[in-house]
Amino acid sequence: MTRTEPAGTPLGDDFHLYDTTLRDGAQREGISYSVTDKLAVARLLDELGVGFIEGGWPGALPKDTEFFARAAEELLLKHAVLVAFGSTRKADVAAADDAQVRALLDSGAPVVTLVAKSDRRHIERALRVDVDTACAMVRDTVSFLVGEGRRVFLDAEHFFDGYAHDPDTALRVLDAAGEGGADVAVLCDTNGGQLPLGLAETVREVAARTGLRLGIHCQDDTSCAVANSVAAVQAGATHVQCTANGYGERAGNADLFAVTGNLVTKLGMEVLPTGGAAELTRVSHALAEIANIAPDTHQAYVGASAFAHKAGLHASAIKVDPLLYNHIDPTSVGNDMRVLVTEMAGRASLELKGRELGVDLAGQPGALTSAVDKVKRLEARGWSFEAADASLELLLRREVQGPDRDVLDEPPFVLESYRVVLDHRADGEVISEATVKVHVGGERVIATAEGNGPVHALDAALRKALSPHLSWLDTVELADYKVRILPGHPGTDAVTRVLVETSDGQCEWTTVGVHENIVEASWLALCDALVHKAMRQRQPAGSSVSR
């Protein structure tokens, strides 16, 4: 069952972190949550520690009605309170007799958020009523729901535009909500057109003129939703509405994770339970998976690149003190610092990356210089190591151990040759066949296999040859395969870059291969993947693993 009282949450009621992913966020193009999805999202948001979860609009959308019914049986919320969203009564119907208002009660949600127009132009042109009637609709609906034991928040739609056009009307709508017993008047930048300084000034004015508890709801049409939300809090708002990863209609909403990150790390506000901030990255990525949207790698605080450094100048400073080029400790929000190794890398970048991969280059200046030179040459030819840590680790280990020794005491196998042929049959079926000749375990082995493409066939033939000799090979599988065609230099052919992600069921690692021929590029990446696994098999338990 759902919690029915906001009291008892770890943070009390002084500040509201309010999430509307399941309602406003679901309006993003490309998102379509099932009821099961919505329940999973609610659980994750509760784990994070948000105070209020807006579950949808019961009575207006059958899926949302079902969500609240199932939530009553299936959700046991530890931190959050479930909120039903809806509109005020119709102009010509009493609140008690309005079917949509009744649906809000029937949802069983202990909190109801009502949306009401606060811009005189919308009241007269869209609702087609006068301001007195619009205020009565707000007052009556809030009063009725409060009388039925519900806590009520009011979303004042188009508030900032309406306040700029006719401040008295906008304030009358808020006053009507307060007279009806609403706990919070939420000022909505519905069109997303506000800028932080002006918005903050309006929040301060409204707080002084009404004395009401104020909230903020910002859209991101000017890319200022996060900044506007934080500015509103600094101006006195104690209730902030956000969506996971900024999902929402048009350009989206204020990003829950960026807003929370700013409130916690910059303003020192305890808006999450103890330890909650360290869950920001995990929950962000989990919610992206449910939405079936790739996580934004450059998202503030929680993106994979939020604390990634490529320039050599940055890396040199980070070597002295990581906070010289990081605005916070990445682990405080559950993220990690990464040093990217590319053609821009210098000695400090590679030394830091080596440390991350478990390769000590600090005391080997010759190896470090050689590794830097090799990375720069390979990157110039199309190799990319920033997404292929396993291949980079092998390169570094080869340099550390010297040019006359391999990465291992002995390689897991040595290639003699391989061949791939394509068979286009009369019935239209296309089959690839690969033959490999390798030396493994003191034997010369020849193996042939078919596949649904040249790379698949080559992988199958290699596995067939090596399986009797490498006991761990059965646990290793190709998890992902990416191909990019790179333009060649003038007078040369295009270059193919292949990234192979491999898994053994416990961890994943990525390798890269580059060649004019896609099969050879794939072969190089496949070989690195197996060599990396063989190397890890020989290392003590607890050693770091590239991911």
Side-chain angles (χ1 to χ4, degrees):
M1 58 183 295
T2 57
R3 289 189 54 151
T4 57
E5 293 292 338
T9 60
L11 304 174
D13 198 47
D14 292 338
F15 188 89
H16 295 172
L17 190 59
Y18 182 111
D19 181 89
T20 177
T21 301
L22 295 177
R23 201 271 307 172
D24 220 7
Q27 296 184 56
R28 170 173 168 148
E29 184 176 6
I31 288 182
S32 180
Y33 291 122
S34 67
V35 175
T36 300
D37 289 338
K38 288 169 71 76
L39 292 167
V41 168
R43 292 187 184 98
L44 283 164
L45 292 170
D46 181 58
E47 288 176 15
L48 181 63
V50 303
F52 298 88
I53 300 172
E54 189 175 273
W57 192 326
L61 299 173
K63 188 185 296 184
D64 289 355
T65 302
E66 181 185 350
F67 166 77
F68 282 98
R70 287 184 57 181
E73 301 295 329
E74 301 177 33
L75 280 185
L76 181 61
L77 302 178
K78 297 179 181 179
H79 303 294
V81 176
L82 207 58
V83 182
F85 178 90
S87 63
T88 58
R89 67 168 175 84
K90 294 182 177 63
D92 56 353
V93 179
D97 299 326
D98 189 294
Q100 195 275 316
V101 175
R102 280 288 175 185
L104 297 173
L105 289 178
D106 294 342
S107 73
V111 181
V112 173
T113 292
L114 292 172
V115 62
K117 297 187 182 301
S118 57
D119 184 330
R120 186 184 191 102
R121 294 164 296 185
H122 282 263
I123 291 172
E124 295 177 343
R125 299 177 193 175
L127 286 182
R128 297 183 181 180
V129 298
D130 57 32
V131 174
D132 288 341
T133 301
C135 289
M137 293 162 62
V138 170
R139 186 184 305 106
D140 294 348
T141 310
V142 173
S143 177
F144 171 71
L145 291 171
V146 170
E148 292 292 323
R150 300 301 191 268
R151 189 176 189 184
V152 180
F153 304 149
L154 182 85
D155 275 5
E157 189 181 35
H158 296 283
F159 180 83
F160 292 94
D161 296 328
Y163 186 82
H165 174 71
D166 181 354
D168 289 339
T169 294
L171 293 175
R172 284 184 61 189
V173 172
L174 299 189
D175 287 338
E179 292 163 3
D183 281 1
V184 181
V186 182
L187 313 183
C188 299
D189 182 18
T190 308
N191 289 343
Q194 299 298 304
L195 297 177
L197 293 180
L199 180 139
E201 182 179 352
T202 298
V203 172
R204 281 189 288 267
E205 287 181 5
V206 172
R209 293 181 66 174
T210 66
L212 297 171
R213 179 173 186 172
L214 300 181
I216 187 69
H217 176 114
C218 294
Q219 300 295 129
D220 202 34
D221 297 76
T222 58
S223 289
C224 289
V226 171
N228 283 339
S229 297
V230 174
V233 171
Q234 291 178 305
T238 59
H239 168 117
V240 60
Q241 298 189 358
C242 308
T243 64
N245 302 319
Y247 298 152
E249 194 173 29
R250 305 188 312 279
N253 289 44
D255 176 10
L256 171 70
F257 302 104
V259 170
T260 304
N262 285 329
L263 296 180
V264 171
T265 69
K266 305 304 179 184
L267 300 185
M269 298 177 62
E270 297 181 358
V271 300
L272 292 175
T274 302
E279 295 295 303
L280 287 171
T281 299
R282 177 187 69 85
V283 173
S284 168
H285 294 181
L287 292 173
E289 289 296 325
I290 295 173
N292 198 28
I293 293 175
D296 179 0
T297 58
H298 298 282
Q299 189 175 351
Y301 291 102
V302 299
S305 297
F307 302 96
H309 301 273
K310 178 181 284 190
L313 180 63
H314 288 209
S316 296
I318 289 169
K319 182 181 174 182
V320 177
D321 181 354
L323 289 180
L324 289 176
Y325 269 100
N326 288 319
H327 68 107
I328 61 167
D329 178 356
T331 62
S332 67
V333 291
N335 210 337
D336 293 309
M337 183 185 76
R338 295 188 301 128
V339 177
L340 306 179
V341 176
T342 72
E343 75 280 359
M344 297 174 63
R347 295 171 62 87
S349 296
L350 212 55
E351 185 180 333
L352 283 171
K353 190 64 179 181
R355 186 186 307 167
E356 178 184 319
L357 297 172
V359 184
D360 185 10
L361 294 165
Q364 303 190 54
L368 179 57
T369 298
S370 178
V372 169
D373 291 342
K374 183 170 289 187
V375 167
K376 289 180 180 292
R377 289 198 306 270
L378 290 173
E379 290 271 349
R381 289 165 47 194
W383 294 71
S384 177
F385 291 103
E386 65 181 54
D389 279 0
S391 287
L392 178 63
E393 182 180 351
L394 294 178
L395 182 152
L396 296 181
R397 290 190 182 279
R398 289 187 178 105
E399 294 302 317
V400 168
Q401 295 187 14
D404 58 339
R405 295 180 57 190
D406 199 89
V407 61
L408 303 170
D409 292 333
E410 60 183 55
F413 65 93
V414 175
L415 173 69
E416 179 180 316
S417 67
Y418 73 79
R419 180 180 63 182
V420 180
V421 296
L422 193 67
D423 185 9
H424 188 139
R425 298 174 179 172
D427 61 0
E429 185 178 10
V430 178
I431 296 294
S432 294
E433 180 182 277
T435 299
V436 298
K437 299 177 183 179
V438 296
H439 296 265
V440 55
E443 298 181 22
R444 180 176 184 263
V445 180
I446 302 175
T448 299
E450 293 183 340
N452 56 18
V455 178
H456 182 219
L458 192 59
D459 181 55
L462 184 60
R463 288 172 176 275
K464 187 175 180 180
L466 300 181
S467 288
H469 302 273
L470 303 177
S471 60
W472 44 262
L473 190 59
D474 287 344
T475 67
V476 176
E477 62 180 15
L478 181 66
D480 199 5
Y481 176 85
K482 296 183 177 71
V483 177
R484 184 176 177 187
I485 306 300
L486 307 173
H489 297 292
T492 66
D493 294 331
V495 173
T496 301
R497 182 165 68 217
V498 170
L499 287 176
V500 167
E501 183 177 318
T502 309
S503 171
D504 62 5
Q506 295 182 325
C507 58
E508 301 80 37
W509 58 99
T510 303
T511 51
V512 61
V514 174
H515 199 269
E516 291 82 359
N517 186 294
I518 188 174
V519 177
E520 177 64 12
S522 302
W523 170 263
L524 294 172
L526 288 172
C527 287
D528 264 9
L530 296 183
V531 171
H532 189 271
K533 173 63 178 178
M535 179 185 66
R536 288 302 180 191
Q537 285 294 114
R538 300 190 180 201
Q539 292 185 343
S543 297
S544 62
V545 177
S546 300
R547 288 184 178 270

